[in-house]
Amino acid sequence: MIKKLLNRGIETWLNQSHSDEEFRENSFVFVALTILMLILSFFIYYNVFIDSYPVLATIQGTGVALCLAGYYFLKNRRSTRTAGILTVTIITTISLLFIIGSQNRELALAFCFITPVVAIFILGYKLGSFFSLINFAVVAYFCLTEMQNWQPVPFDSISFIHLAIIYFFLFSIAYFYDSGRRRTMRLLKESNLQLKTLSTTDVLTRLPNRLKMEELLLNSDEVKWIAMLDVDDFKSVNDTYGHDIGDHVLKVIAKQLANTIGDDGVVARWGGEEFLIAFYLSDINAIENKLMELQDKIAAKKFNFERNVTVSCGATPHQRHMHRTAFRRADEALYRAKASGKNCYKLDITAIGMEALQ
């Protein structure tokens, strides 16, 4: 619930949808800036009202000002890279100044661990590595030249506060990064599913297309018969009444085919005015009844022109390992139906076809 509210708040503030490609990166920088501002604000309060340390308070106030600049570049300029560089620069600079200024009092050296995690998450491994190496070089130099002057570090209340802040800062950044990555992967999966659906669906009729049907016929033993169906004299419909009317006729026929076949098979648009039906039925009488029912219902359809629309069919038994032969035989049966006066069906039952029915 909190995560959803946070995402909605960020979407509103950025005026950007969570499905946008840049949303994950922008929201990650936004969260990093916000966490950083909260931590700096706490230390400003601490160094002003509890343990008076004006120099540190001034440095931290400068950090807050730079965070506000980061917000500006993120929201108004849509410059995620600039906002990210500002965020990492603030974290690195203030951490180093605090470590050098305190000489590892109050467990200050622990703050050096923030930079490499945040820098690589926000800026990527190339620029992030650059910041990380600079940070390490400064810390290493300070340690090697000043370590002999350090006093033993007591683990007091402020040391525990520093430890807790660093721990939960890294935890928050890692959690948000991983949740954002998972959300991106989920969106990618949904997008791929949509693309797959589009690639296997006929745009006009919303039936499976030829690619989807061929995949079914090649990988399923459930298909016992196939039927090629062609709209009679469809070219004259387009020529006389226009392609919009022709498209309407195809959509009506497609819907009627799908409704009539139901769970007994799959209907696909094969191309143009041709459809292909894959029947799960094996009984020849059931196939003939379905074909007659289809032709009767389509012929009874009323369109916005005088003539009736009819279809011709050619059907044959199907075997998965010989589907090309079945296509050819169904097409030959369809040709015979056309030659017989149209609005009828023909069956092609050969030795191969009879074997498929066994």
Side-chain angles (χ1 to χ4, degrees):
M1 184 66 180
I2 296 175
K3 182 180 175 182
K4 289 183 178 179
L5 291 174
L6 178 62
N7 284 334
R8 289 176 184 173
I10 296 174
E11 283 181 308
T12 302
W13 189 82
L14 289 173
N15 192 25
Q16 188 176 44
S17 171
H18 71 277
S19 60
D20 193 293
E21 291 183 2
E22 298 179 351
F23 177 77
R24 186 194 66 80
E25 187 174 359
N26 289 342
S27 59
F28 184 70
V29 173
F30 172 83
V31 170
L33 280 170
T34 302
I35 294 173
L36 182 58
M37 273 199 65
L38 292 174
I39 292 174
L40 291 174
S41 299
F42 167 79
F43 277 118
I44 290 173
Y45 172 81
Y46 184 87
N47 290 316
V48 171
F49 296 104
I50 298 178
D51 184 13
S52 181
Y53 206 147
V55 176
L56 273 180
T58 301
I59 293 172
Q60 290 151 0
T62 304
V64 169
L66 291 175
C67 284
L68 294 174
Y71 281 131
Y72 169 78
F73 281 104
L74 186 63
K75 180 177 176 60
N76 298 326
R77 295 293 185 87
R78 281 289 188 266
S79 179
T80 309
R81 177 51 64 92
T82 302
I85 290 174
L86 279 173
T87 304
V88 175
T89 300
I90 296 166
I91 292 173
T92 303
T93 303
I94 291 180
S95 297
L96 290 174
L97 288 174
F98 182 48
I99 293 169
I100 293 171
S102 66
Q103 293 187 332
N104 197 35
R105 290 195 305 271
E106 301 165 348
L107 205 64
L109 193 61
F111 280 87
C112 72
F113 297 115
I114 295 179
T115 293
V117 177
V118 177
I120 292 176
F121 277 2
I122 291 179
L123 302 178
Y125 70 93
K126 290 184 178 179
L127 189 56
S129 297
F130 172 77
F131 272 89
S132 300
L133 290 173
I134 294 296
N135 177 69
F136 179 79
V138 175
V139 171
Y141 175 79
F142 174 70
C143 290
L144 294 174
T145 57
E146 298 294 331
M147 190 178 296
Q148 67 273 12
N149 300 322
W150 290 357
Q151 299 298 318
V153 180
F155 194 79
D156 50 15
S157 298
I158 191 62
S159 299
F160 176 76
I161 290 174
H162 288 170
L163 183 65
I165 285 175
I166 294 169
Y167 180 86
F168 284 105
F169 182 89
L170 295 177
F171 170 80
S172 300
I173 294 298
Y175 173 83
F176 189 81
Y177 176 82
D178 187 65
S179 63
R181 180 182 63 82
R182 290 176 183 275
R183 184 173 62 251
T184 301
M185 294 302 294
R186 185 177 67 252
L187 291 172
L188 181 62
K189 184 177 179 180
E190 292 173 358
S191 177
N192 288 338
L193 183 61
Q194 291 175 356
L195 288 174
K196 183 178 180 180
T197 300
L198 290 173
S199 69
T200 57
T201 302
D202 179 62
V203 177
L204 178 66
T205 63
R206 309 311 300 170
L207 292 176
N209 60 15
R210 183 167 182 162
L211 176 65
K212 181 67 174 179
M213 180 59 85
E214 287 195 339
E215 181 182 345
L216 170 67
L217 297 175
L218 281 169
N219 296 287
S220 175
D221 289 321
E222 294 183 26
V223 179
K224 305 302 181 183
W225 281 76
I226 61 170
M228 299 288 293
L229 183 148
D230 185 85
V231 182
D232 296 326
D233 302 315
F234 184 72
K235 184 177 183 301
S236 66
V237 174
N238 279 334
D239 293 343
T240 305
Y241 305 106
H243 288 276
D244 288 341
I245 296 297
D247 288 346
H248 175 67
V249 168
L250 291 177
K251 287 192 284 187
V252 170
I253 291 175
K255 185 176 181 180
Q256 184 61 68
L257 290 172
N259 291 339
T260 303
I261 299 302
D263 295 332
D264 292 329
V266 178
V267 182
R269 187 181 181 191
W270 198 244
E273 67 272 23
E274 280 192 331
F275 298 87
L276 190 138
I277 306 171
F279 284 105
Y280 298 144
L281 304 171
S282 58
D283 182 67
I284 188 170
N285 293 323
I287 297 297
E288 289 189 281
N289 289 336
K290 279 291 183 183
L291 295 179
M292 285 189 288
E293 181 184 357
L294 282 172
Q295 290 182 316
D296 290 342
K297 288 183 175 180
I298 292 172
K301 290 288 182 183
K302 300 298 182 183
F303 296 96
N304 295 325
F305 46 84
E306 296 178 357
R307 55 167 288 188
N308 291 335
V309 175
T310 61
V311 295
S312 299
C313 304
T316 190
H318 177 265
Q319 286 181 302
R320 178 166 59 91
H321 63 282
M322 300 188 69
H323 72 288
R324 292 294 176 191
T325 301
F327 289 157
R328 179 173 57 81
R329 294 187 182 281
D331 195 53
E332 290 173 353
L334 173 62
Y335 179 80
R336 292 202 306 273
K338 289 282 190 182
S340 298
K342 303 175 183 177
N343 192 25
C344 63
Y345 69 88
K346 296 294 182 182
L347 304 182
D348 188 308
I349 303 178
T350 62
I352 294 176
M354 292 307 294
E355 181 186 342
L357 295 177
Q358 299 302 318

